Amino acid sequence: MKDKTEKDQAGAIDRITLPLFVPGDRPERFAKAMAAGADAVIVDLEDAVAPDAKERARAGLAEALAPVTGTVPVLVRINARGTPWHAGDLAACAGLPLAGLVLPKAESGADCVAVREETGLSVVALVESARGLRNAEEIAMASRRLAFGSIDFAADLGIAHERDVLLPARFALAMAARLAGQAAPIDGVTTALREEDVIADDCRHAVAMGFGGKLIIHPAQIEAARKGCAPSQGECDWARRVLSAVEGGAAAIAVDGAMVDAPVIARARRILERAAATV
């Protein structure tokens, strides 16, 4: 039974595309967050909760989650290792029916292993520091999935939070996830709440960099993010033409005047998988 539960948790995490944060000390918002249209909810005990409210949020977590459990996968972002609240967060989450835990400031594989062994829950490792990026492959091997805390990462390095500056970091995380055999990592938040074009464009950039989703901080971002993560109709049509053309089993053929072989076929399949995941 334990093995099946862990497998179910891992599968749920692999399929997440748009997880929505909700403050852990605002239980009255939990049901609304579950119904907002995101494909997972992250109850946040870290940045969204003031230090003097953390113990109260943690203590009320089980009761607050009970009425909404089972609607969408629920994760909890605990406080980082080395903080005064970390051990208490682990103890409070260990018995809850969660899909997993989000570990902020993940900087080593040992960080992830310790959380998983203490709670029995799968770990999404949030990489948001220079040390975390340096150890990204090790962290990926020890966690279920990677996520990018791009704003904290930029602050840690004292660099601009801009696409061209962050290209090496995003590429490194996509590589680390691939080497670990993980689902594609989840990209960091977009701070614009209602600028749909900005949100969608950020998501398109993340997908182009090899990411498989986006952290969402407000329900108003969900639809624009979904559009940005989804392949275009033209991409889907092309992918269907490719897969239809290879049904006969030919090793190499031409579609739309271009050669199609195994790598192109694999890309076509990924496009349709992404379309299905962002419906």
Side-chain angles (χ1 to χ4, degrees):
M1 181 63 72
K2 180 182 177 183
D3 290 344
K4 182 180 186 302
T5 299
E6 291 178 352
K7 186 175 180 180
D8 290 345
Q9 291 171 358
I13 288 174
D14 292 349
R15 293 188 292 273
I16 290 173
T17 302
L18 301 173
L20 171 65
F21 280 108
V22 61
D25 61 343
R26 299 299 300 272
E28 73 277 7
R29 296 185 183 179
F30 288 4
K32 184 177 180 180
M34 306 291 177
D39 53 15
V41 166
I42 302 173
V43 177
D44 191 10
L45 298 179
E46 194 213 14
D47 285 350
V49 180
D52 61 359
K54 287 184 185 291
E55 290 189 14
R56 184 175 70 253
R58 178 205 301 148
L61 194 58
E63 183 179 355
L65 286 176
V68 294
T69 297
T71 50
V72 297
V74 178
L75 300 93
V76 172
R77 178 163 71 171
I78 57 176
N79 286 277
R81 293 190 77 190
T83 65
W85 310 284
H86 181 75
D89 288 352
L90 295 184
C93 291
L96 298 181
L98 301 171
L101 297 177
V102 178
L103 177 63
K105 312 297 188 295
E107 295 191 331
S108 71
D111 288 348
C112 303
V113 171
V115 169
R116 188 179 70 245
E117 290 184 346
E118 181 72 20
T119 63
L121 293 167
S122 297
V123 175
V124 176
L126 190 55
V127 175
E128 41 192 347
S129 68
R131 184 171 286 106
L133 187 66
R134 183 190 66 185
N135 296 329
E137 290 183 28
E138 171 191 325
I139 293 168
M141 292 292 183
S143 65
R144 186 66 202 187
R145 198 166 179 188
L146 297 178
F148 187 27
S150 56
I151 295 175
D152 284 89
F153 178 82
D156 184 55
L157 272 70
I159 59 177
H161 188 253
E162 297 175 358
R163 286 183 186 175
D164 57 343
V165 177
L166 294 172
L167 284 172
R170 285 194 166 98
F171 183 79
L173 290 177
M175 281 283 289
R178 179 59 180 151
L179 290 170
Q182 286 189 358
I186 303 171
D187 195 28
V189 303
T190 294
T191 56
L193 299 183
R194 300 183 185 277
E195 297 177 51
E196 294 186 1
D197 290 346
V198 172
I199 297 164
D201 195 50
D202 268 3
C203 290
R204 282 190 286 270
H205 175 71
V207 169
M209 289 296 302
F211 282 68
K214 188 81 168 170
L215 296 170
I216 302 297
I217 55 174
H218 194 282
Q221 296 179 315
I222 293 172
E223 286 310 310
R226 196 180 306 282
K227 291 176 183 176
C229 286
S232 68
Q233 187 61 52
E235 287 178 297
C236 291
D237 290 344
W238 170 85
R240 292 188 186 98
R241 287 197 298 274
V242 167
L243 296 184
S244 177
V246 300
E247 283 180 355
I253 57 172
V255 172
D256 297 346
M259 184 60 66
V260 172
D261 54 11
V264 176
I265 295 167
R267 177 171 175 263
R269 291 197 176 106
R270 285 196 297 270
I271 286 172
L272 295 182
E273 288 168 358
R274 183 156 54 92
T278 52
V279 171

